[in-house]
Amino acid sequence: MAQLPGLEPAVLPPDAVELGRVQEAWGIKGWLRLHSHSADPEVLLAAKRWFLIPPEARFARGFDAFSGVVTVVVDEVKTHADGLVARIEAIADRNAAEALKGARIHVARADFPAAKSDDEYYWVDLLGLDVINREGVHLGVVRDLLSTGPNSVLCLEYTEDDKTQERMIPFVSVYVDQVDLPGKRITVDWQPDY
């Protein structure tokens, strides 16, 4: 497989988070149209370096821009219509941009912008945290979050009678008392039988 010129082989950082993928070429000057996995693409807009990985095997037919992991320098990202477009340093024409179609975009968690307030969190930081209630009862571990429009919902996994169960708790201040990232714990006003 021939690698596009200007793409630097790299090692994916252990804290890398997949934030989107390249949808297609945009224009004739090497710009890329992106699909963001988040409704708020703040990190993609701010990051100056991305790690690219080839598409998953089921989407990789014909992909030969690179293999393994490569890093690229981001020149510019901006919102356009209902999505994002980007220009990266190594890509100068439409053909090179088209070759990246399907590539998955990762950013090191260490490169994320700081949260805007003390009660704002990146979802990736909440995954794996233990959730306990005010009485100290362990309610589960955060496995996912759902966006329901006005608020997010914690999706917890717990075991009861040797079966894996799911519990959902709205991620709002009425129910969430404290998020302790260093302690890997969320304290909530919630009961096991809700």
Side-chain angles (χ1 to χ4, degrees):
M1 171 183 291
Q3 182 164 300
L4 282 176
L7 301 179
E8 295 295 322
V11 174
L12 190 66
D15 67 342
V17 179
E18 184 174 331
L19 298 176
R21 63 178 168 74
V22 176
Q23 278 186 307
E24 61 189 352
W26 185 73
I28 61 170
K29 296 184 179 181
W31 283 73
L32 307 167
R33 180 181 305 276
L34 309 178
H35 168 77
S36 173
H37 294 328
S38 171
D40 180 4
E42 173 186 9
V43 178
L44 281 175
L45 289 165
K48 297 299 178 201
R49 181 174 65 153
W50 294 342
F51 295 89
L52 302 181
I53 296 177
E56 295 171 340
R58 62 185 175 172
F59 302 115
R61 194 166 91 200
F63 186 89
D64 64 356
F66 62 89
S67 62
V69 179
V70 296
T71 185
V72 295
V73 175
V74 180
D75 284 336
E76 185 178 357
V77 182
K78 59 186 178 180
T79 57
H80 177 67
D82 61 347
L84 297 174
V85 293
R87 186 177 70 225
I88 57 178
E89 197 173 87
I91 305 301
D93 62 44
R94 183 173 182 85
N95 291 339
E98 284 176 345
L100 292 177
K101 181 178 180 177
R104 295 177 287 160
I105 304 166
H106 290 71
V107 174
R109 172 60 185 92
D111 292 339
F112 282 29
K116 295 174 187 164
S117 67
D118 290 340
D119 64 347
E120 184 175 294
Y121 305 95
Y122 287 108
W123 282 14
V124 69
D125 295 337
L126 302 176
L127 298 175
L129 297 187
D130 287 310
V131 179
I132 61 163
N133 67 11
R134 291 176 175 174
E135 293 76 27
V137 176
H138 187 263
L139 299 175
V141 175
V142 179
R143 290 294 176 228
D144 199 1
L145 286 104
L146 296 175
S147 178
T148 61
N151 60 272
S152 300
V153 176
L154 297 169
C155 299
L156 311 182
E157 187 176 275
Y158 66 99
T159 304
E160 184 174 77
D161 299 328
D162 294 325
K163 289 186 175 182
T164 300
Q165 305 286 331
E166 186 177 75
R167 176 178 286 127
M168 295 184 178
I169 302 173
F171 191 63
V172 294
S173 61
V174 170
Y175 302 116
V176 177
D177 293 335
Q178 180 186 27
V179 176
D180 178 6
L181 292 178
K184 299 188 180 298
R185 174 182 290 198
I186 298 173
T187 305
V188 296
D189 182 13
W190 199 263
Q191 295 302 317
D193 57 350
Y194 286 1

